[in-house]
Amino acid sequence: MSATILIVDDEESILKALSGILEDEGHKTICAGDGIEALSVVQREVPDLVMLDIWMPRMEGLETLQRLKELYPGLVVVMMSGHGTIETAVRSTKMGAYDFIEKPLSLEKVIITVNNALGVIRLRQENASLRGLVLQDHELIGDSHMIKRLQEQVRLVAPTHASVLLLGENGTGKELVARAIHYHSLRREKPFVEINCAAIPEQLIESELFGHEKGAFPGAGGQKKGKFDLADGGTIFIDEIGDMPLKTQAKVLRILQERRFERPGGTRIVEVDVRVVTATNKMLEEEIRLGNFMEDLFYRLNVVPLQIPPLRERREDIPVLVEHFLDLFCRREGRELKVVSTEAVELMKGYDWPGNVKELKNIVERLVIMTPGRVITDQYIPDYFFGSGAKDEGLSRPDSLRDLSSFREAREEFEKEFIMQKLEENDWNISKTAEIIEVERSNLHRKIKSYGINLKK
């Protein structure tokens, strides 16, 4: 890595010697005779690295270091001194210096120190680049007013410590919003830990959330850290919070109130600092009325509620999403970037997307794989997108919907029809259907049983 290095020393011989060494290594050097001159140089051109002497006239090195760090906190500075002491080295390190080398300068020591410092700079740059890619992966995509409003809400709530409740249908992107909140927050360098309450059996969910001590129950051979432990300092995302058992809800409420808990089987208090983001597709107010959800917990979680719109209410975003997923899957599969014809896009815009963005993502992945040419035309679009009123053919709406009196009944009828259609499309294979609609097999099996769906062999 060729770098620009500022050398600050009041001895002309040191400036010449270091310049020669570093230029022989392929670097560009700038020289300054004292701290005041160094500050003037840095304001004109910010170097990659600074080699800074401690004992100088007008402004000594530690003061110069302090001023440099105030102006450019990320600047990497190596201190030099012919009268170094451990106390001075420690003090300069605490003030933000990367390293400390003693005079007379050793050629080998200078080169090693500079290379190590530049290695740190390179890692910072790579991390910043990767973080940018991660942020891109968790950006909300779309130009509709609904998504613009949601993006603004995320921007406002992310830097705070407030609990956020994400509301929306399955597949709308609640996890994506949760990750966006985390990666735009002050906790972005700490863990993001997720758990789906609907995917974990009731008897195991407490162990998953809170861990356990050795011997807490038969088979607990050692201590296990739970999700709250693992998320300490960061964000925990609890998906399908409406499916959490009441007993577990009470323990989560205690954590939100006291920021501490006890692992099952133990007596030691574990203190945690976590930001809680939850999500549900249920009407929690209705669940409270039915006695399935704690009112106190609801108020703790519902500090900032964010509604995630279904895809059918933001159809203008479909072309942008299709383009995004095409790029994603073509790169992943190592294929030439494909394009979707105008006719195919219009068909997609006319479909109701009961599975929302997740369904669109799955469709685009299938089209990337199964379309032989570069252009994806309407002939490769699934048959159920066609016909009179494609919006109505994505899922047939039973006449009985008109007779339903509540949103809950309508949602359950809709979910039942959706599951039956997907099962039929996948030859009534539960495992394959669960994978396609992106739910746990055990969860799908429970829904099939609760809706009384007869499996056809």
Side-chain angles (χ1 to χ4, degrees), residues 1 116-130:
M1 174 181 177
N116 288 342
L118 295 178
V120 168
I121 294 168
R122 184 169 58 252
L123 285 173
R124 285 183 184 175
Q125 292 170 344
E126 290 173 359
N127 287 340
S129 176
L130 289 171

Side-chain angles (χ1 to χ4, degrees), residues 19 54 105 138 143 166 204 214 245 334 349 368 385 441 444:
S19 294
I54 287 185
L105 300 173
H138 300 102
D143 298 317
L166 305 176
L204 295 180
K214 182 178 180 180
K349 289 173 70 175
V368 166
F385 279 68
R441 187 185 186 281
L444 178 58

Side-chain angles (χ1 to χ4, degrees), residues 281-299:
N281 60 3
K282 293 186 174 183
M283 301 290 288
L284 292 185
E285 293 93 338
E286 178 69 9
E287 295 298 315
I288 292 169
R289 189 184 68 79
L290 295 171
N292 297 329
F293 203 82
M294 294 179 63
E295 189 172 14
D296 287 352
L297 178 59
F298 172 72
Y299 291 129

